Amino acid sequence: MSNQKRMFGLGKGLGSLIPKSSEPKVKTDNRENVFYVEINKIEANPDQPRQDFEGEALKELSNSIKKYGVLQPLLVSKVETETAKGLEVSYQLIAGERRLRASKLAGLPAVPVIIRDDLKNNSRRLEVALIENIQRKDLNPMEEAEAYEKLQQEFNLTQQEIATKVSKSREAVANALRLIKLSPDIKESLRSGLLSRTHARALLAFNDATMQKDVYNQILSGKLSTKEVEQIAASSKETNKGKIAINNKYSELARNLGDTLKVPVLIQATNDGGKIVIKFATLQELNKIAKNIID
């Protein structure tokens, strides 16, 4: 079978998609031509922004592809290599790695692609790959932030230029880029979904790394709301005026209390005392807390 075949309809059988001529037809309108390309001819994108491909979700997509086929073509560029046997043609993936992986898992021999012959330049291909992946809106927050950072570093783009290219506000791009400043363990939690984007942004309000880490640990164990994290951050900046602040020496005690009461506990200290905050969700949970304290 030829390396690439013109596709006339995604819903038809493979036989109906292969014309008599093995040469692709020239584009005659403004729509991009779609071809079927042998899956083993497509190389992964080395600059893929997405790093996490969750196994169960990939399996679900694979099952869907088995049933319905690949509904959205992959974006690739043609790579021509001179060999002893002549000109060898392969394709480098620009966007669609999740669909490519799922198609391989489904055992497909070929997948629909759009070939971008205008992307021979590696730099241009990287830029388009980053933008295409960001526009799909399914990257995790860290993957998105790192893609923006790469656009800044590799292409000297301003935040406004990036925002224009990906159809987002400059503020959205700026807020995403701020996540790069987080510590490695916090970024990893954000990447894995253990920490939400809103909690991560709230953590950025802490100038003190030790305090940021302490609140981060309490988010993971005590499930502080974003609003509570923001309030703690605001109050910590007023410690010299006697306002409420997190005191690191109470962290272990707060965790021990939380373990005993089976609910999130936060100890907030002031210059002249402090308070213990015990979180509960229902009246039943409050009754259990009261019983544990009384007993």
Side-chain angles (χ1 to χ4, degrees):
M1 186 174 81
S2 171
N3 289 345
Q4 63 182 40
K5 302 292 183 181
R6 174 69 183 279
M7 187 183 73
F8 293 96
L10 289 179
K12 300 181 180 180
L14 187 59
S16 67
L17 303 176
I18 304 176
K20 293 181 180 180
S21 170
S22 62
E23 293 299 320
K25 294 186 177 180
V26 178
K27 189 189 301 184
T28 57
D29 56 27
N30 291 328
R31 294 175 299 176
E32 291 179 299
N33 288 335
V34 179
F35 302 91
Y36 263 102
V37 166
E38 293 172 36
I39 204 164
N40 60 0
K41 293 288 185 181
I42 302 175
E43 302 170 357
N45 178 3
D47 297 303
Q48 164 67 251
R50 178 184 292 280
Q51 300 299 320
D52 302 303
F53 295 89
E54 200 272 318
E56 190 59 35
L58 200 63
K59 187 176 180 180
E60 289 176 4
L61 178 58
S62 175
N63 291 335
S64 175
I65 286 174
K66 285 181 183 178
K67 188 173 182 179
Y68 301 108
V70 182
L71 301 181
Q72 183 177 0
L74 287 65
L75 188 65
V76 302
S77 62
K78 185 186 295 184
V79 180
E80 296 179 340
T81 307
E82 287 285 353
T83 68
K85 296 181 180 180
L87 191 65
E88 184 177 296
V89 177
S90 61
Y91 302 87
Q92 186 172 92
L93 189 67
I94 297 174
E97 184 159 343
R98 186 167 173 268
R99 279 165 284 155
L100 179 63
R101 291 185 182 216
S103 297
K104 288 180 178 179
L105 192 61
L108 266 60
V111 289
V113 304
I114 293 173
I115 301 171
R116 291 290 300 271
D117 288 327
D118 58 322
L119 300 178
K120 301 295 185 182
N121 180 276
N122 287 338
S123 179
R124 173 63 175 156
R125 186 163 55 218
L126 170 59
E127 182 182 7
V128 172
L130 289 167
I131 293 170
E132 288 279 353
N133 277 278
I134 292 168
Q135 287 176 336
R136 287 190 58 78
K137 299 180 180 179
D138 58 356
L139 299 178
N140 67 52
M142 282 314 306
E143 289 171 335
E144 182 181 352
E146 288 162 356
Y148 291 150
E149 184 184 41
K150 200 159 191 176
L151 285 171
Q152 275 191 327
Q153 294 178 348
E154 296 282 342
F155 306 102
N156 296 317
L157 297 180
T158 65
Q159 291 181 3
Q160 184 57 60
E161 288 170 334
I162 294 172
T164 300
K165 287 179 179 290
V166 300
S167 302
K168 293 189 177 183
S169 69
R170 190 202 64 77
E171 290 74 15
V173 173
N175 285 332
L177 282 167
R178 291 178 64 218
L179 299 176
I180 300 293
K181 300 176 181 179
L182 292 168
S183 64
D185 52 342
I186 296 178
K187 287 194 286 190
E188 186 56 37
S189 293
L190 184 57
R191 189 187 303 279
S192 65
L194 193 61
L195 186 70
S196 72
R197 186 193 298 263
T198 53
H199 267 130
R201 287 179 57 182
L203 284 171
L204 287 166
F206 292 92
N207 296 322
D208 182 86
T210 302
M211 188 175 293
Q212 182 189 72
K213 182 66 177 292
D214 183 69
V215 174
Y216 160 69
N217 287 331
Q218 292 188 55
I219 290 172
L220 296 187
S221 61
K223 302 188 187 302
L224 293 173
S225 70
T226 302
K227 184 176 181 180
E228 287 171 323
V229 175
E230 290 171 344
Q231 289 174 342
I232 293 169
S235 65
S236 70
K237 296 176 181 178
E238 301 292 336
T239 55
N240 60 330
K241 298 179 182 179
K243 299 292 184 179
I244 295 174
I246 292 292
N247 192 318
N248 292 328
K249 68 182 180 181
Y250 297 128
S251 299
E252 185 176 356
L253 179 57
R255 283 192 290 271
N256 290 338
L257 279 172
D259 291 339
T260 300
L261 299 176
K262 309 301 182 187
V263 290
V265 173
L266 178 66
I267 297 178
Q268 297 177 326
T270 65
N271 291 344
D272 55 357
K275 63 181 179 180
I276 299 175
V277 179
I278 301 174
K279 293 188 64 178
F280 64 91
T282 65
L283 180 60
Q284 184 181 13
E285 192 173 48
L286 177 59
N287 285 332
K288 287 182 179 179
I289 296 169
K291 187 176 184 302
N292 285 334
I293 294 174
I294 294 171
D295 290 346

